[in-house]
Amino acid sequence: MATMKKQVSPTISFSTCSTRAVLKLIGDQWTAMVIYALEGGTKRFSELSALIDGVSKKMLTQTLRDLEHNGLVQRIVYPVVPPRVEYSLTPLGMTLTEPIGALRQWAEEHLNEMEQAQREHDQAQHLFIQEQVASIVQQR
Amino acid sequence: MATMKKQVSPTISFSTCSTRAVLKLIGDQWTAMVIYALEGGTKRFSELSALIDGVSKKMLTQTLRDLEHNGLVQRIVYPVVPPRVEYSLTPLGMTLTEPIGALRQWAEEHLNEMEQAQREHDQAQHLFIQEQVASIVQQR
DNA sequence: CCGCATCCGGAGCGATACTG
DNA sequence: CAGTATCGCTCCGGATGCGG
């Protein structure tokens, strides 16, 4: 097991934590899904737009630019009319599919547990609020 | 989720993609780091606050509440003066440490590559802008 | 067909002050 | 000590229109 006790040292500066950097990368709504969509191979802008339900042109452009800027996605413009732009993962981008896949796998395995926990928690909250209301009413 | 307008896409519906759910979970700035901090064991509110550099009380509270709501973190309040509140990972929360660890590992391995790609890209951008300026100056 | 610029409403977040 | 309440600001993200 690689993960032993792994005690958090008392002086860890979280500002330099690499987790933060990755989160800044894929933390937004669309990045992970763009990468996921590009796992299938090279895609045109309009194809991505159609695949990723709900994304606006602006956000898609922004996300792709960001990924390109970080060297995870390659952007190829064909100077033809009408314009044709193709996006694909770089080798570096491909390596990101693994941890993202791990995340997705976790989600598929544990999402139902989480939803159940949510329901239980909501119910507890609900009952608690009812008690509060009851006690307030009683005071009057 | 309440308002599902378009569900006609024959391809993958990304709105129901589990990746999205996980990202909503750990996508924000602090969640992943709270979990990371709690890997070391039970922590008090003030301890977390000290460990996670730069987090405000408001955000820390919000993040912890969210995690508690999803059944990933347990919150125990000791009714004493001064107040004492302890947070710890639930078994479900522990399972999240793996994919998050994978993410961090990827970051540590590839962050330098990304930074290099960024620099190269920035330089290319810079040169391009220089060309633009030059051509404009030339026109005058 | 692709992408950039602009505007604008609203959510998110920090700082501060207050409570128990 | 561990929050809650409120204010104010920033920035996200959608809609629209232009340009190549």
Side-chain angles (χ1 to χ4, degrees), chain A residues 56-69:
Chain A
S56 66
K57 282 195 299 180
K58 180 184 177 179
M59 279 302 101
L60 186 55
T61 300
Q62 201 175 92
T63 304
L64 287 166
R65 284 281 194 265
D66 221 45
L67 286 169
E68 186 196 5
H69 179 254

Side-chain angles (χ1 to χ4, degrees), chain B residues 5-131:
Chain B
K5 290 181 185 176
K6 297 178 180 178
Q7 184 66 25
V8 283
S9 175
T11 54
I12 297 174
S13 170
F14 281 92
S15 7
T16 60
C17 179
S18 46
T19 304
R20 206 166 214 163
V22 178
L23 255 31
K24 220 167 184 58
L25 232 197
I26 63 165
D28 68 288
Q29 186 83 284
W30 307 114
T31 305
M33 277 185 291
V34 168
I35 291 174
Y36 182 50
L38 286 176
E39 280 185 47
T42 301
K43 295 275 184 302
R44 297 185 60 176
F45 183 88
S46 50
E47 289 177 304
L48 289 174
S49 192
L51 273 173
I52 304 172
D53 190 38
V55 68
S56 65
K57 283 193 296 183
K58 181 184 177 179
M59 278 301 100
L60 185 54
T61 301
Q62 200 175 94
T63 304
L64 286 166
R65 283 298 200 287
D66 219 47
L67 286 168
E68 187 196 5
H69 179 254
N70 292 328
L72 301 173
V73 158
Q74 185 171 23
R75 178 172 177 264
I76 301 178
V77 182
Y78 297 90
V80 295
V81 178
R84 182 185 183 88
V85 184
E86 288 183 348
Y87 296 90
S88 56
L89 289 180
T90 64
L92 180 57
M94 303 252 194
T95 64
L96 232 191
T97 62
E98 277 189 48
I100 287 182
L103 226 48
R104 194 173 60 247
Q105 191 179 353
W106 182 92
E108 285 162 5
E109 288 173 4
H110 298 284
L111 221 54
N112 44 0
E113 299 181 42
M114 257 186 45
E115 284 168 1
Q116 187 181 349
Q118 278 180 23
R119 276 193 298 275
E120 288 173 8
H121 193 269
D122 287 343
Q123 201 168 28
Q125 275 289 6
H126 186 57
L127 291 175
F128 179 71
I129 291 172
Q130 279 190 335
E131 285 176 20

Side-chain angles (χ1 to χ4, degrees), chain A residues 7-111:
Chain A
Q7 207 166 7
V8 179
S9 83
T11 53
I12 283 183
S13 170
F14 281 92
S15 9
T16 60
C17 179
S18 48
T19 304
R20 205 166 215 164
V22 177
L23 255 32
K24 221 168 183 57
L25 233 197
I26 63 165
D28 68 288
Q29 186 82 284
W30 307 114
T31 304
M33 276 185 292
V34 168
I35 290 172
Y36 183 49
L38 285 177
E39 279 186 48
T42 301
K43 295 274 186 303
R44 298 188 57 178
F45 183 89
S46 50
E47 289 177 304
L48 288 173
S49 192
L51 272 173
I52 304 172
D53 191 38
V55 69
S56 66
K57 282 195 299 180
K58 180 184 177 179
M59 279 302 101
L60 186 55
T61 300
Q62 201 175 92
T63 304
L64 287 166
R65 284 281 194 265
D66 221 45
L67 286 169
E68 186 196 5
H69 179 254
N70 291 329
L72 301 173
V73 158
Q74 185 171 24
R75 177 172 178 264
I76 302 178
V77 183
Y78 297 91
V80 296
V81 179
R84 181 184 183 88
V85 184
E86 287 184 347
Y87 296 90
S88 56
L89 289 179
T90 64
L92 179 57
M94 303 252 193
T95 64
L96 233 191
T97 62
E98 275 188 50
I100 288 183
L103 228 47
R104 194 173 61 246
Q105 190 179 353
W106 182 92
E108 284 163 4
E109 286 174 5
H110 299 283
L111 221 53

